[in-house]
Amino acid sequence: MTDKLTVAVLGTGIMGAAMARNIARAGHTVRAWNRTRAKAEPLTDEGALVVDSPAEAVRDADVVLTILHDGPAALDVMRQAAPALRPGTAWVQSTTAGIEAHTPLADFAREHQLAFYDAPVLGTRQPAEAGQLTVLAAGPVEGREKVTPVFDAVGARTVWTGEDGAAGTATRLKLVANSWVIAATAAAGETLALSRALDVDPQHFFELIAGGPLDMGYLRAKSGLILEDRLSPAQFAVSTAAKDARLIVEAGERGGIRLDVAAAGAARLERAAAQGHGDEDMAAAYFASFDEES
């Protein structure tokens, strides 16, 4: 197995910056690119090389990691990188792209003879910074020795879902997981909003469910962000969650099912973003329960 890899990280937002930092700390060479270069510059403190174009980032890289806003953005950036891509390069596609956008990404990989790994991650800012993400991965067995060190650097564990990245099995599992995350976050926000409307101390609710099957660490974590006004910096931003929620609804429609809770969750997140909470933690969907903040 190669001891030291050259990894191109395309996209250094909340997740991408943390992943690039941990890959560099693991001893690999990192070349980072971001549409807004200033967001990538702090990575130089970890020894990463910040470059001006996707093509410059991927030139002679062993692994290319994309972690961008959505599927079309990932495809656009890879098209910019195309002149410098080598056949056989491993492409770790970690953007939450959804099912519809996954196909053109896989087609691009095939056209350019890339070893394609469908590899979204489960986790938010804090586990990303700690290198404790869960990597959901699908891709060829031959060549995994290149991507495994990258997965080990960013995650606490890797869950392999198949040997064909183009099949999108990891992406599908990520959508299922995110549907639960978005539903639970919306429920937490609505519970606090109802407590406020009925003049009920939220702590009485937490005491009521303490230690029982209705209690949940995630409920307490997201509620704490709201009650203690700790919505910034975001662990998982409202705007990103809204995008993911729409991908979940669309995936359900493609599968012939109706996802009422996911659709309502998407609407709440979009309403919160319109109120000015787009860059705050997704728990800020709480504010969508109110016509005006007070």
Side-chain angles (χ1 to χ4, degrees):
M1 183 174 70
T2 303
D3 292 329
K4 186 175 182 180
L5 300 167
T6 296
V7 183
V9 179
L10 305 180
T12 60
I14 291 174
M15 303 297 285
M19 293 167 77
R21 191 172 292 112
N22 285 317
I23 294 168
R25 288 175 179 171
H28 305 294
T29 298
V30 173
R31 290 202 294 266
W33 172 87
N34 194 68
R35 202 176 301 277
T36 303
R37 181 179 174 124
K39 291 184 177 180
E41 286 292 352
L43 293 171
T44 59
D45 293 340
E46 301 292 341
L49 176 64
V50 176
V51 299
D52 292 321
S53 71
E56 188 177 355
V58 306
R59 187 168 288 110
D60 298 323
D62 298 298
V63 178
V64 175
L65 168 65
T66 47
I67 179 75
L68 295 143
H69 178 66
D70 56 19
L75 184 59
D76 175 65
V77 168
M78 287 299 284
R79 284 173 173 162
Q80 293 178 52
L85 288 169
R86 295 181 304 174
T89 299
W91 177 15
V92 173
Q93 205 309 99
S94 294
T95 306
T96 302
I99 294 173
E100 185 173 347
H102 181 79
T103 299
L105 294 171
D107 289 344
F108 178 94
R110 184 176 59 256
E111 291 163 9
H112 293 270
Q113 301 177 56
L114 306 177
F116 185 56
Y117 290 87
D118 176 26
V121 295
L122 195 61
T124 56
R125 179 193 293 267
Q126 191 171 18
E129 291 177 347
Q132 295 293 300
L133 295 167
T134 297
V135 181
L136 313 177
V141 174
E142 183 179 356
R144 286 186 185 179
E145 71 277 2
K146 282 187 179 180
V147 299
T148 297
V150 175
F151 296 163
D152 290 346
V154 304
R157 66 171 179 146
T158 299
V159 177
W160 287 97
T161 64
E163 298 180 8
D164 181 7
T169 53
T171 284
R172 294 166 192 268
L173 180 57
K174 173 66 185 293
L175 293 177
V176 170
N178 270 13
S179 71
W180 170 246
V181 170
I182 290 167
T185 303
E190 288 199 347
T191 297
L192 293 183
L194 184 61
S195 295
R196 175 174 165 179
L198 300 182
D199 196 25
V200 171
D201 185 342
Q203 294 306 320
H204 291 167
F205 164 66
F206 294 130
E207 292 167 4
L208 178 65
I209 65 171
L214 297 178
D215 203 354
M216 185 169 63
Y218 188 82
L219 164 66
R220 292 178 179 270
K222 287 302 182 185
S223 296
L225 296 182
I226 298 166
L227 295 171
E228 298 164 20
D229 193 22
R230 294 186 288 109
L231 295 166
S232 295
Q235 292 290 319
F236 184 29
V238 165
S239 58
T240 304
K243 179 266 298 184
D244 286 3
R246 283 299 169 198
L247 292 178
I248 290 162
V249 173
E250 291 167 6
E253 291 172 348
R254 286 173 62 92
I257 62 168
R258 177 173 171 172
L259 299 175
D260 295 325
V261 173
R268 283 181 63 81
L269 288 159
E270 289 162 354
R271 196 158 64 248
Q275 291 174 338
H277 300 284
D279 293 331
E280 295 176 354
D281 190 86
M282 65 185 297
Y286 160 81
F287 293 108
S289 286
F290 308 97
D291 290 333
E292 295 181 2
E293 292 183 37
S294 58

